[in-house]
């Protein structure tokens, strides 16, 4: 046996005395004994009974539980979290006005505060109880005692823990015997590490494999293609009966799914007649508006004219056609009409440096492509169109001609809004404030090209000379 | 069910008559304040309106206590509760208060039947003719139907209160456990009858003071208020009777603790119902609903409303939650009395703003307090009369032993 490989011998730990168990067969005897143990000054001990025993708390000298305080703290914490969360979400991070109530409104907070307080108080009670009872505890060395099994049936026990400061192997044993128990025994710590049973290991492995399968299946399906139709898990969500824009339907008599504005109503935020200078660039709306805007005018006509006048409209339409046959004359007539409109000459809003900066930025985005950075009608689009000699291209006007410089700001605003010649209407793209900002920048551009250099101060002149 | 073998030998029969003639004298003395309140009203501006509303407020304050008692008796039977047996007879006495109150409420019904609109605007034909909403509600809110409903409500309550007291007293004599089973069986349908009559009575007598306003939760609100009133009244009575040597042994700190717990719980329930009603109205912001709270924000009523929020809920919630407060008879008495006062203010707040006599005034409160003490005198005298020579505890109830040995933990 000389060649025996030396196995590392698993030395069994010395079993350690953990305490004593004293057995009683009568609850009253247990209470009497408990009083004696309490008065003897032991702290680390417990009683075990098959049912709740009135008076055992007093007999053991157990202090009133601190659980209510834990619950109260958790409840208060829940309330605080709820109220600060609602303040942060509703009033600070994402202010959202709901039915005209204040952003941070106590009555609206009450239900959430209530719910969270109750929730956290319940958590406090549940987990606090588990914690104070030192649960979950899967194993206790006392379970090894044969006698202790009757604790769930008809026996009553006192257990003395060896960790107690007053505990001593001989004295405590003697003391317990003096309490007249039916039996006293010791309980010892385990010497072997508890192993998991084989069946449990197997079961857990199977459960683990089963749990991995659904996510694995999902991952596989998501990373591969298939020629079978997709699975509709919730068909109601995939095929909704709701109408889609621009489709036809037989729900409404006109066959349109998208609904036109209701007659006689103005969509929210589209009522413009309360600030005519700002929205139209006009001092007031003239009686005959057909040159101002096409869209607005059409709406107004449809609203103003009763149904009987439809016929008159129909007759009028062919009458305008001959005018279109002579485009030059029509254009001249339109230009004349435009000149006569009451354009505003002042900005209908305070002019600020911020507005100028905004105007410059917007001008460079929307206008400079054709009109050029300096407004001379030499934008990149224009240059390229000229290069290619595109016949239909109309060269944009330079802002620095006498004609354009004379135009009132209202007219410039109108041009941006509704377009002119080849220039499309920018009204739908640029909000009115930005259109006015562009007009302001445009006026500044015009001024920059028409100033007499002698009127400039010396340092500005030098700066202009030095700047390329 | 077995009657416990030894209880009926050990228990000595005590009655409220052992208190001597003093309580009855004090109660009848207090009753004198009712005519005083009437005279105070007679000689002040809008005095009759003030008195009429105060009278309604006082009767419905005590009615809420008696209805709470009736509910408690029935729910104890329904749940086969053991712990509360020693308190049940006292609750049965308090429930009998509906009989004097039926008489006291009768003038209100008669005045309304005569077409007087001092309390209810819908009672006068002229008001109804001018008001579209009152016309729409006229099939329900008319004085004839109102009087019929008064008979139904008080008839049902008197019937229920008498039924539960009589059966329980009969058991004192013969110790028949079948009577307990009978009461258990009857308490389910009785509770249904009770909840409907209470809800509609609250609608009819208090909510219809402002006939334009309505709240479906109002009946529950009055019910919650009544339970707070009842448990306060019960706790006060128990502490008082124990100090006079009655029920001293049977009713222990454990029972007081449970009464305190129920008082605390129903006070929270009251707050929950109150905020539910307020929150829905506040959120929806519909003018015909919010007008109820608008009246209760102006002319000094805002202060009363705040007193209710802080005094009726916040303060007792913090201080009355503790176990010690409920287990100490003195502190329990204090908080019960405090919450009874708060309950009075609550009913005051429900009824009086509808009087429209220009805000909270000292005169109004004086008339109201006198009226309440006066009605209370008659009420307590009635309770003592009904208690008479009857034992203050159901001495041969089959669950009595369980109640005597009741221990919280």
């Amino acid at each position: 046996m000389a060649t025996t490989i030396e196995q590392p011998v698993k030395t069994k730990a010395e079993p350690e005395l953990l305490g004593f168990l004293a057995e009683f067969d009568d609850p009253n005897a247990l209470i009497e004994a408990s009083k004696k143990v309490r008065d003897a000054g032991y702290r680390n001990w417990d009683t075990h009974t098959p049912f709740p025993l009135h008076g055992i708390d007093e007999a053991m000298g157990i202090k009133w539980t601190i659980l209510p305080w834990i619950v109260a703290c958790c409840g208060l914490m829940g309330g605080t979290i709820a109220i600060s969360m609602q303040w942060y979400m509703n009033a600070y991070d994402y202010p959202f006005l709901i039915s005209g109530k204040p952003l941070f409104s106590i009555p609206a907070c009450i239900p959430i505060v209530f719910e969270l307080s109750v929730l956290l108080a319940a958590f406090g009670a549940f987990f606090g109880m588990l914690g104070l009872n030192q649960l979950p505890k899967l194993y206790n060395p006392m379970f090894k005692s044969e006698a202790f099994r009757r604790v769930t049936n008809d026996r009553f026990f006192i257990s003395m823990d060896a960790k107690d400061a007053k505990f001593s192997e001989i004295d405590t044993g003697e003391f317990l015997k003096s309490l007249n128990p039916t039996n006293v025994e010791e309980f010892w710590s385990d010497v072997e590490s508890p192993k998991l049973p084989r069946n449990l290991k197997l079961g857990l492995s199977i459960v683990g494999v089963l749990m991995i399968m659904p996510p694995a299946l999902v991952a596989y399906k998501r990373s591969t293609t298939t020629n079978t139709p997709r699975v509709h898990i919730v068909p109601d969500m995939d095929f909704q009966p709701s109408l889609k824009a621009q489709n036809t339907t037989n729900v409404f008599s006109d066959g349109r799914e998208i609904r036109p504005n209701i007659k006689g109503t103005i969509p929210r935020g589209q009522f413009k007649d309360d600030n005519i200078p700002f929205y139209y660039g006009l001092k007031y709306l003239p009686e005959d508006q057909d040159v101002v805007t096409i869209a607005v005018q059409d709406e107004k006509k449809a609203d103003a004219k009763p149904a009987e006048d439809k016929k008159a409209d129909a007759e009028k339409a062919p009458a305008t056609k001959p005018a279109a046959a002579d485009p030059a004359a029509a254009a001249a007539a339109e230009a004349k009409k435009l000149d006569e409109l009451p354009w505003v000459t002042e900005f209908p809003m305070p002019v600020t440096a911020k507005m100028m900066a905004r105007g410059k930025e917007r001008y460079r985005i929307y206008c400079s492509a054709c009109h050029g950075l300096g407004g001379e009608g030499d934008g990149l689009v224009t240059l390229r169109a000229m290069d290619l000699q595109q016949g239909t291209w109309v060269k944009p006007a330079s802002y620095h001609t006498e004609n354009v410089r004379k135009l009132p700001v209202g007219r410039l605003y109108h041009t941006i809004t509704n377009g002119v010649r080849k220039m499309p209407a920018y009204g739908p793209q640029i909000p009115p404030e930005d259109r006015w900002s562009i007009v302001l920048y445009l006026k500044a551009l015009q001024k920059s090209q028409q100033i007499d250099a002698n009127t400039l101060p010396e340092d500005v002149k030098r700066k202009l000379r030095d700047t390329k | 069910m077995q009657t416990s073998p030894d209880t009926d030998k050990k228990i000595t029969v005590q009655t409220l008559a052992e208190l001597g003639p003093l309580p009855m004298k004090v109660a009848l003395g207090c009753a004198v304040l009712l005519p005083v309140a009437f005279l105070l009203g007679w000689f002040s501006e809008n005095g009759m309106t003030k008195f009429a509303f105060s009278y309604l407020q006082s009767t419905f304050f005590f009615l809420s206590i008696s209805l709470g008692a009736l509910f408690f008796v029935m729910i104890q039977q329904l749940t086969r509760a053991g712990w509360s047996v020693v308190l049940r007879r006292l609750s049965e006495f308090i429930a009998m208060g509906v009989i004097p109150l039926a008489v006291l409420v009768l003038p209100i019904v008669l005045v309304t039947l005569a077409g007087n609109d001092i309390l209810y605007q819908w009672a006068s034909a002229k008001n109804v003719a001018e008001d579209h909403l009152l016309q729409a509600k006229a099939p329900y809110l008319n004085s004839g139907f109102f009087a019929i409903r008064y008979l139904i409500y008080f008839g049902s309550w008197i019937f229920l209160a008498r039924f539960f007291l009589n059966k329980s007293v009969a058991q004192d004599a013969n110790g028949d456990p079948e009577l307990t089973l009978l009461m258990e069986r009857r308490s389910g349908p009785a509770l249904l009858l009770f909840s409907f009559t209470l809800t509609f009575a609250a609608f009819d007598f208090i909510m219809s003071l402002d006939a334009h306003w309505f709240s479906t939760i109002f009946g529950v609100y009055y019910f919650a208020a009544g339970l707070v009133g009842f448990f306060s009244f019960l706790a006060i009575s128990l502490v008082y009777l124990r100090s006079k040597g009655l029920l001293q042994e049977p009713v222990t700190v454990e029972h007081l603790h449970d009464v305190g717990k129920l008082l605390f719980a129903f006070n929270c329930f009251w707050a929950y119902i109150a905020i539910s009603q307020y929150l829905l109205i506040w959120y929806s912001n519909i003018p015909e609903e919010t007008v109820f709270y608008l009246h209760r924000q102006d002319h000094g009523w805002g202060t009363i409303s705040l007193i209710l929020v802080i005094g009726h809920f916040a303060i007792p919630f913090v201080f009355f939650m503790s176990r010690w407060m409920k287990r100490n008879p003195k502190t329990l008495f204090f908080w019960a009395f405090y919450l009874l006062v708060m309950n009075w203010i609550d009913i005051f707040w429900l009824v009086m703003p509808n009087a429209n006599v220009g805000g909270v005034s000292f005169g109004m409160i004086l008339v109201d307090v006198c009226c309440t003490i006066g009605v209370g005198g008659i009420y307590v005298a009635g309770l003592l009369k009904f208690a008479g020579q009857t034992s203050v505890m159901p001495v041969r109830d089959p669950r009595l032993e369980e109640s005597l040995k009741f221990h919280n933990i």
Side-chain angles (χ1 to χ4, degrees):
Chain A
M1 297 294 276
T3 54
T4 307
I5 300 164
E6 266 188 55
Q7 299 263 348
V9 179
K10 214 175 184 181
T11 47
K12 284 188 175 182
E14 273 304 299
E16 192 185 339
L17 181 67
L18 289 182
F20 288 110
L21 267 176
E23 184 182 352
F24 298 86
D25 54 3
D26 178 29
N28 296 319
L30 180 77
I31 286 178
E32 289 311 310
S34 296
K35 283 178 186 164
K36 282 177 192 152
V37 179
R38 175 194 69 192
D39 294 339
Y42 286 96
R43 301 225 167 272
N44 225 330
W45 62 289
D46 208 349
T47 55
H48 310 267
T49 61
F51 45 79
L53 206 55
H54 283 311
I56 193 76
D57 288 1
E58 290 82 2
M60 288 177 69
I62 290 179
K63 284 198 196 106
W64 188 246
T65 172
I66 61 156
L67 190 62
W69 291 106
I70 296 175
V71 174
C73 287
C74 290
L76 278 176
M77 202 160 71
T80 316
I81 289 172
I83 205 123
S84 42
M85 176 183 80
Q86 287 176 92
W87 169 81
Y88 176 75
M89 287 176 174
N90 292 346
Y92 181 77
D93 186 46
Y94 196 81
F96 196 72
L97 198 62
I98 298 162
S99 62
K101 308 293 185 199
L103 287 175
F104 182 60
S105 179
I106 295 293
C109 291
I110 285 175
I112 311 293
V113 171
F114 173 75
E115 299 295 346
L116 263 190
S117 304
V118 169
L119 180 73
L120 262 70
F123 279 157
F126 182 69
F127 293 109
M129 179 274 295
L130 287 185
L132 292 177
N133 286 330
Q134 298 168 4
L135 291 172
K137 199 171 194 174
L138 297 178
Y139 175 75
N140 193 318
M142 276 182 252
F143 292 165
K144 282 201 160 178
S145 158
E146 279 294 323
F148 194 69
R149 291 186 179 177
R150 287 179 75 174
V151 75
T152 55
N153 190 14
D154 61 350
R155 283 290 188 272
F156 305 83
F157 289 88
I158 287 179
S159 64
M160 310 291 295
D161 198 310
K163 283 191 214 102
D164 195 294
K166 279 202 72 174
F167 186 90
S168 77
E169 211 166 315
I170 299 141
D171 292 353
T172 307
E174 291 301 312
F175 169 68
L176 276 180
K177 280 186 188 114
S178 74
L179 300 174
N180 293 327
T182 52
N183 182 25
V184 173
E185 62 181 80
E186 301 162 341
F187 59 97
W188 296 81
S189 64
D190 285 308
V191 287
E192 284 173 50
S193 63
K195 263 190 190 166
L196 276 182
R198 238 189 98 179
N199 288 345
L200 191 67
K201 271 188 193 167
L202 189 69
L204 285 177
S205 319
I206 292 172
V207 168
V209 170
L210 286 177
M211 277 170 73
I212 291 168
M213 275 164 76
L217 206 63
V218 169
Y220 170 71
K221 283 290 175 194
R222 286 194 69 90
S223 58
T224 53
T225 53
T226 171
N227 48 12
T228 54
R230 67 174 281 201
V231 179
H232 294 281
I233 297 167
V234 190
D236 284 1
M237 296 276 278
D238 295 338
F239 308 106
Q240 296 181 15
S242 60
L243 302 182
K244 291 192 175 64
Q246 314 295 356
N247 269 1
T248 55
T249 178
N250 50 11
V251 174
F252 299 106
S253 60
D254 63 356
R256 294 156 68 169
E257 285 195 344
I258 194 162
R259 304 310 302 154
N261 288 345
I262 297 168
K263 216 170 184 184
T265 61
I266 300 170
R268 191 177 284 271
Q270 292 196 12
F271 181 70
K272 300 199 166 88
D273 287 7
D274 56 347
N275 196 350
I276 287 158
F278 181 69
Y279 286 110
Y280 296 100
L282 289 165
K283 285 175 184 146
Y284 54 86
L285 280 185
E287 290 294 308
D288 176 23
Q289 291 176 20
D290 58 343
V291 287
V292 180
T293 64
I294 294 144
V296 172
Q297 163 215 26
D298 280 352
E299 270 174 31
K300 294 227 164 185
K301 251 188 198 165
D303 285 351
K305 283 190 182 172
E308 300 96 83
D309 285 10
K310 282 256 169 83
K311 210 181 147 202
D313 274 359
E315 280 170 11
K316 212 171 151 192
T320 50
K321 271 210 169 140
D326 187 355
E334 195 181 302
K336 194 165 167 280
K337 261 184 182 171
L338 278 172
D339 286 340
E340 283 163 6
L341 284 170
W343 300 116
V344 293
T345 48
E346 299 287 327
F347 283 90
M349 57 207 286
V351 171
T352 58
K354 201 176 160 192
M355 184 177 162
M356 181 68 89
R358 176 83 179 164
K360 182 178 179 183
E361 188 207 3
R362 294 290 116 175
Y363 177 87
R364 289 179 173 210
I365 291 170
Y366 290 108
C367 316
S368 60
C370 297
H371 287 280
L373 288 171
E376 281 157 336
D378 57 350
L380 288 172
V381 174
T382 304
L383 292 181
R384 181 165 166 78
M386 289 299 156
D387 241 25
L388 297 172
Q389 297 190 328
Q390 292 286 313
T392 54
W393 182 255
V394 182
K395 191 171 184 284
S398 163
Y399 298 147
H400 309 300
T401 60
E402 190 63 21
N403 264 349
V404 178
R405 277 172 54 216
K406 269 197 307 191
L407 291 177
V409 290
R411 179 75 183 274
L412 293 172
Y413 174 83
H414 170 264
T415 306
I416 298 173
T417 310
N418 296 305
V420 65
R421 290 186 287 276
K422 279 284 167 201
M423 175 176 163
Y426 278 86
Q429 293 181 50
I430 312 177
E433 295 83 10
D434 286 351
R435 275 178 257 155
W436 282 113
S437 307
I438 292 171
V439 172
L440 178 66
Y441 182 66
L442 210 151
K443 291 308 269 184
L445 274 181
Q446 287 177 342
K447 216 170 181 178
S448 72
Q449 301 296 314
Q450 300 295 334
I451 206 153
D452 187 352
N454 293 330
T455 60
L456 288 176
E458 201 49 44
D459 55 332
V460 176
K461 267 195 247 175
R462 201 181 311 120
K463 198 176 162 193
L464 282 174
R465 256 199 300 276
D466 295 347
T467 315
K468 276 232 167 151
Chain B
M1 194 184 292
Q2 291 287 311
T3 321
S4 56
D6 52 353
T7 41
D8 44 2
K9 288 167 208 147
K10 275 193 275 181
I11 304 296
T12 50
V13 174
Q14 292 177 311
T15 70
L16 285 185
E18 284 173 33
L19 291 170
L22 187 66
M24 187 58 123
K25 278 182 188 165
V26 171
L28 289 176
C30 287
V32 177
L33 277 176
L34 186 59
V36 170
F38 183 78
L39 289 175
L40 274 176
W42 187 269
F43 290 115
S44 69
E45 200 192 343
N46 286 327
M48 275 305 96
T49 314
K50 275 181 204 164
F51 177 74
F53 275 86
S54 297
Y55 187 73
L56 179 73
Q57 196 256 321
S58 308
T59 46
F60 271 74
F61 167 65
F62 288 107
L63 183 66
S64 76
I65 295 174
S66 275
L67 291 180
L70 190 55
F71 174 78
F72 179 73
V73 170
M74 290 191 288
I75 204 81
Q76 296 310 305
Q77 295 287 6
L78 186 74
T79 55
R80 302 179 177 177
W83 71 273
S84 62
V85 171
V86 291
L87 319 171
R88 220 188 54 226
R89 180 58 54 77
L90 201 59
S91 314
E92 286 161 355
F93 289 157
I94 300 173
M96 286 298 273
V98 291
I99 294 175
L101 284 168
V103 180
L104 285 167
V105 173
L106 192 60
I108 296 174
V109 181
L110 291 178
V111 164
T112 310
L113 206 55
N116 190 324
D117 65 346
I118 191 165
L119 281 170
Y120 303 105
Q121 62 204 96
W122 48 262
S124 116
K126 190 170 146 284
N127 290 345
V128 174
E130 286 168 358
D131 195 315
H132 177 71
L133 198 66
L134 290 189
Q135 285 165 24
K137 290 186 176 183
Y140 184 81
L141 284 181
N142 61 71
S143 34
F145 193 20
F146 180 72
I148 294 171
R149 287 194 309 258
Y150 158 79
L151 292 176
I152 295 172
Y153 300 152
F154 279 91
S156 323
W157 298 332
I158 291 170
F159 168 72
L160 292 175
R162 283 178 60 89
F163 173 81
F164 283 99
L165 180 63
N166 287 349
K167 292 289 177 242
S168 175
V169 169
Q171 200 177 41
D172 282 0
N174 59 19
D176 183 5
E178 281 300 319
L179 285 169
T180 297
L181 293 175
L182 177 74
M183 284 191 279
E184 280 168 10
R185 276 199 297 274
R186 293 285 183 272
S187 54
L191 266 170
L192 273 181
L193 177 67
F194 170 82
S195 42
F196 278 106
T197 47
L198 178 133
T199 305
F200 281 96
F203 289 170
D204 289 355
F205 282 90
I206 304 182
M207 196 169 81
S208 80
L209 288 171
D210 184 353
H212 285 196
W213 183 71
F214 45 86
S215 156
T216 43
I217 208 173
F218 193 84
V220 187
Y221 186 98
Y222 184 69
F223 167 77
L227 279 165
V228 172
F230 163 66
F231 284 114
S232 310
F233 197 78
L234 182 66
I236 291 171
S237 319
L238 284 174
V239 176
Y240 171 72
L241 291 181
R242 286 180 87 233
S243 77
K244 294 288 166 196
L246 269 82
L247 286 174
Q248 201 157 29
E249 273 183 22
V251 176
T252 61
V253 170
E254 305 293 335
H255 295 103
L256 293 182
H257 185 189
D258 267 21
V259 172
K261 279 193 266 187
L262 283 167
L263 174 55
F264 179 75
F266 275 102
N267 195 48
C268 293
F269 177 66
W270 171 86
Y272 184 76
I273 296 303
I275 189 67
S276 300
Q277 178 177 291
Y278 177 74
L279 204 64
L280 287 187
I281 291 175
W282 178 84
Y283 242 128
S284 58
N285 219 0
I286 299 169
E288 62 259 32
E289 289 183 349
T290 49
V291 68
F292 176 83
Y293 286 100
L294 196 66
H295 284 324
R296 282 156 181 79
Q297 282 175 15
D298 302 330
H299 308 300
W301 289 109
T303 317
I304 307 275
S305 307
L306 275 180
I307 287 176
L308 281 182
V309 174
I310 297 163
H312 201 327
F313 175 65
I315 293 175
F317 184 78
V318 174
F319 291 102
F320 193 38
M321 194 178 341
S322 127
R323 169 184 159 93
W324 182 82
M325 289 284 186
K326 299 181 197 105
R327 288 180 80 89
N328 184 333
K330 278 181 189 149
T331 50
L332 178 71
F333 184 86
F334 169 80
W335 283 109
F337 188 77
Y338 174 87
L339 283 173
L340 193 64
V341 172
M342 281 300 154
N343 186 35
W344 184 85
I345 296 176
D346 184 28
I347 310 280
F348 181 74
W349 178 84
L350 281 183
V351 172
M352 297 309 281
N354 295 306
N356 273 329
V357 287
V360 189
S361 63
F362 175 72
M364 178 201 275
I365 296 174
L366 186 68
V367 171
D368 215 339
V369 169
C370 287
C371 196
T372 304
I373 297 175
V375 172
I378 300 174
Y379 175 77
V380 173
L383 295 187
L384 290 170
K385 184 85 185 66
F386 285 118
Q389 297 296 320
T390 316
S391 163
V392 80
M393 198 170 71
V395 279
R396 289 172 79 180
D397 190 287
R399 297 188 217 281
L400 181 61
E401 198 175 351
E402 185 185 343
S403 183
L404 290 172
K405 290 181 177 168
F406 172 64
H407 201 282
N408 262 303
I409 298 164

